[in-house]
């Protein structure tokens, strides 16, 4: 069917925001939005959160199957080898993060991009090199975010350790002390839950860059840039801002009724694909109970549960339910993590999905090149500047 490509504004119907448009085939993950289910390679997110680890999930996404014990040990070893950063990148982070000068997502975007400049293999065009870069970048993102956190807190940067898991080492570098088993498990679950999610905005951005055959760092920087916005990964941070603004459970109903009446978007709710409960929110809600109890921050959970109840009652039938960002803020804040770090931590995890999708795209690539409907003037004369 011929599509009209020159038209009046509004004349040609199209799915705004590419809603429902099929961008490609992929075997990495499937979001069943109507039933509120999420699978990586056919395995439910509940099973992965309970039984797997970030490293194993990363293997699954990269190679489309679960690893043997030896294969997992090799991937873990490769990830630990790449944990350190070039000195120049640590210096960059120190120079811009101190005194809360620059926002962590911006520092992260620049630090990942800068790391490429010191990686001789960054532009090597072999399948082995792309795979190596995927592992290298995913491993290093945690070091970058932890270093940003330390400098913001006015504390010395902590070098990575090779004897800890990805989640434990990340918390160790963030805090300067080894985390206990519970905190390690919670961070691991956060990383597993955020690792992939179908054709979301940041993964699509990564794939648009990849489809031009640009290098893996450039593709990941594209992903970070897209994740940064409040409609995507930036929402978790705003959930905590909202809780602080509401102040107490008694104020929830008034605050929300006013916000809904004013047609404000409530952060941590709604999703392009889920029209039911986001299963990741259910898992994080479960962890929030124990985390807030340990931290003595049960008030946040009480408030969050009241907001959830109100929103489901008022807007559930419209398909607006809590998404992953709603409880992740409560969990991470209770673990003592600054809210500016929430989206960078999302990126630490999503790097697994971005790079796995980039490798998949490269195996059967075609450049992404859609069209616009042109709604400008048909023709017009060029008017010299002194005659305008
Ligand atoms: N609060 C109140 N109303 C909402 C919300 C919300 N959070 N989300 C959607 N709606 C309403 C819209 O106002 C709109 O109503 P209308 O039809 O009466 O105009 C309707 O639901 C459809 O919303 P759209 O914004 O068109 O849905 P879209 O699929 O384009 O956007 C999005 C999805 C961006 C996630 C949206 O729900 C939103 O802005 N949510 C808040 C931000 C957020 O939590 N983002 C994180 C998403 S998960 C993630 O990226 C990890």
């Amino acid at each position: 069917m011929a599509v009209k490509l020159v038209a009046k504004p509004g004349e040609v119907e199209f799915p705004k925001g590419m809603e429902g448009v099929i961008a490609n085939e992929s075997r990495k993950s499937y979001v069943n939005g109507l039933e509120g289910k999420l699978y990586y390679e056919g395995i439910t997110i509940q099973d992965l959160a309970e039984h797997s680890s970030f490293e194993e999930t990363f293997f699954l996404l990269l190679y489309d199957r679960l690893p043997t014990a030896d294969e997992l040990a090799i991937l873990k070893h490769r990830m630990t080898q790449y944990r350190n950063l070039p000195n120049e990148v640590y210096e960059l982070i120190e120079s811009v993060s101190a005194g809360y000068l620059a926002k962590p997502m911006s520092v992260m975007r620049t630090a990942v991009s800068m790391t490429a400049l010191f990686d001789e293999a960054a532009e090597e065009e072999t399948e082995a090199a792309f795979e190596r870069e995927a592992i290298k970048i995913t491993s290093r993102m945690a070091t970058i975010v932890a270093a940003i956190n330390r400098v913001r807190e006015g504390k010395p940067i902590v070098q990575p350790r090779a004897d800890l898991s990805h989640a434990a080492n990340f918390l160790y570098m963030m805090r300067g002390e080894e985390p206990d088993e519970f905190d390690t498990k919670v961070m691991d679950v956060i990383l597993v839950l955020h690792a992939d999610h179908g054709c979301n905005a940041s993964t699509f951005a990564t794939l648009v860059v990849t489809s031009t055959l640009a290098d893996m760092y450039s593709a990941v920087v594209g992903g970070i840039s897209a994740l940064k916005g409040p409609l995507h990964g930036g929402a978790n941070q705003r959930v905590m801002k909202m809780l602080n603004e509401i102040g107490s459970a008694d104020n929830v109903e008034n605050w929300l009724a006013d916000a809904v009446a004013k047609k404000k978007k409530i952060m941590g709710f709604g999703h392009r694909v889920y029209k039911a409960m986001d299963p990741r929110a259910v898992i994080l809600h479960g962890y929030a109970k124990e985390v807030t109890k340990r931290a003595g921050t049960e008030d946040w959970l009480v408030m969050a549960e009241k907001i959830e109840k109100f929103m489901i009652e008022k807007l559930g039938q419209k398909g607006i339910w809590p998404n992953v960002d709603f409880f992740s803020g409560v969990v991470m804040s209770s673990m003592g993590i600054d809210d500016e770090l929430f989206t960078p931590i999302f990126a630490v995890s999503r790097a697994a999905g971005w790079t796995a999708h980039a490798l998949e795209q490269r195996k059967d690539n075609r450049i992404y090149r859609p069209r616009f409907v042109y709604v400008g003037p048909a023709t017009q004369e060029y008017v010299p500047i002194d005659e305008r």
Side-chain angles (χ1 to χ4, degrees):
M1 189 181 72
V3 179
K4 198 168 178 189
L5 288 170
V6 179
K8 294 191 187 74
E11 189 187 341
V12 175
E13 274 191 37
F14 66 96
K16 201 168 172 196
M18 295 177 78
E19 179 170 358
V21 170
I22 307 298
N24 207 343
E25 294 177 347
S26 172
R27 55 171 296 154
K28 304 297 166 191
S29 60
Y30 173 56
V31 185
N32 180 336
L34 292 180
E35 292 178 24
K37 291 185 177 153
L38 170 62
Y39 307 85
Y40 296 168
E41 300 274 350
I43 303 177
T44 67
I45 197 67
Q46 288 85 353
D47 270 348
L48 290 167
E50 196 173 339
H51 306 297
S52 188
S53 63
F54 178 71
E55 291 92 326
E56 187 182 64
T57 297
F58 185 30
F59 188 105
L60 177 69
L61 291 169
L62 278 180
Y63 307 112
D64 304 324
R65 63 180 175 82
L66 287 170
T68 63
D70 283 350
E71 287 169 334
L72 181 58
I74 291 169
L75 178 65
K76 283 182 174 176
H77 177 66
R78 291 180 75 188
M79 288 179 78
T80 59
Q81 273 187 318
Y82 297 131
R83 277 183 181 161
N84 232 317
L85 302 175
N87 280 336
E88 291 83 351
V89 177
Y90 285 123
E91 282 162 21
L92 165 88
I93 292 170
E94 274 172 338
S95 66
V96 295
S97 298
Y100 293 76
L101 209 62
K103 296 279 185 199
M105 266 315 258
S106 301
V107 182
M108 179 186 209
R109 185 194 56 215
T110 304
V112 171
S113 188
M114 188 177 182
T115 306
L117 307 181
F118 297 92
D119 183 346
E120 284 173 9
E123 315 235 2
E124 207 180 291
E125 293 191 355
T126 63
E127 211 174 306
F130 297 136
E131 185 218 25
R132 191 179 56 233
E133 295 311 294
I135 296 168
K136 200 186 276 179
I137 296 170
T138 302
S139 174
R140 286 176 161 180
M141 300 263 287
T143 315
I144 289 173
V145 174
I148 293 170
N149 184 52
R150 296 291 291 177
V151 176
R152 278 167 61 82
E153 290 183 344
K155 294 176 182 158
I157 288 173
V158 176
Q159 293 299 313
R161 268 172 50 181
D163 60 326
L164 298 174
S165 70
H166 195 65
N169 175 59
F170 180 44
L171 281 174
Y172 166 69
M173 293 188 296
M174 294 261 290
R175 296 173 171 173
E177 58 187 48
E178 213 178 302
D180 65 15
E181 235 177 78
F182 179 75
D183 277 7
T184 302
K185 176 64 187 171
V186 177
M187 181 49 74
D188 204 26
V189 167
I190 289 171
L191 296 179
V192 167
L193 294 185
H194 289 83
D196 198 34
H197 206 239
C199 194
N200 59 87
S202 59
T203 299
F204 187 53
T206 304
L207 293 184
V208 171
V209 178
T210 299
S211 81
T212 70
L213 300 185
D215 63 284
M216 191 67 88
Y217 282 94
S218 302
V220 169
V221 170
I224 295 171
S225 307
L227 188 71
K228 193 168 177 283
L231 295 188
H232 191 7
N236 49 17
Q237 186 183 345
R238 295 186 184 220
V239 170
M240 282 318 287
K241 283 204 167 67
M242 175 175 74
L243 291 192
N244 287 324
E245 210 179 306
I246 295 174
S248 75
D250 295 341
N251 196 25
V252 164
E253 290 195 357
N254 280 344
W255 194 96
L256 281 180
D258 183 55
V260 170
K262 287 182 178 145
K263 293 211 160 275
K264 277 193 194 161
K265 287 256 180 90
I266 311 300
M267 292 292 132
F269 287 85
H271 199 275
R272 174 64 60 80
V273 183
Y274 288 120
K275 298 302 163 203
M277 190 81 175
D278 180 336
R280 302 166 301 173
V282 179
I283 296 168
L284 284 172
H285 188 178
Y287 278 96
K289 290 178 185 157
E290 183 60 25
V291 176
T292 54
K293 201 164 129 200
R294 282 173 161 240
T297 52
E298 292 100 329
D299 286 357
W300 279 337
L301 184 61
V302 172
M303 226 193 297
E305 284 173 342
K306 221 169 160 186
I307 296 172
E308 181 188 30
K309 187 166 175 284
F310 180 99
M311 288 294 288
I312 292 174
E313 274 169 22
K314 293 275 182 255
L315 297 174
Q317 79 271 42
K318 207 175 160 186
I320 297 165
W321 291 76
N323 60 49
V324 67
D325 286 333
F326 188 59
F327 285 107
S328 67
V330 173
V331 170
M332 287 194 275
S333 283
S334 302
M335 289 172 80
I337 297 170
D338 185 88
D339 62 3
E340 291 278 358
L341 270 291
F342 296 173
T343 315
I345 291 173
F346 190 155
V348 166
S349 163
R350 188 55 62 86
W354 292 334
T355 54
H357 278 279
L359 291 174
E360 185 180 45
Q361 169 85 28
R362 278 190 169 269
K363 287 196 180 117
D364 184 20
N365 186 58
R366 192 165 188 222
I367 192 167
Y368 282 105
R369 206 319 184 177
R371 300 287 302 259
F372 290 127
V373 176
Y374 177 71
V375 295
T379 56
Q380 63 170 321
E381 296 277 313
Y382 177 81
V383 181
I385 195 161
D386 52 1
E387 290 173 28
R388 286 176 221 162

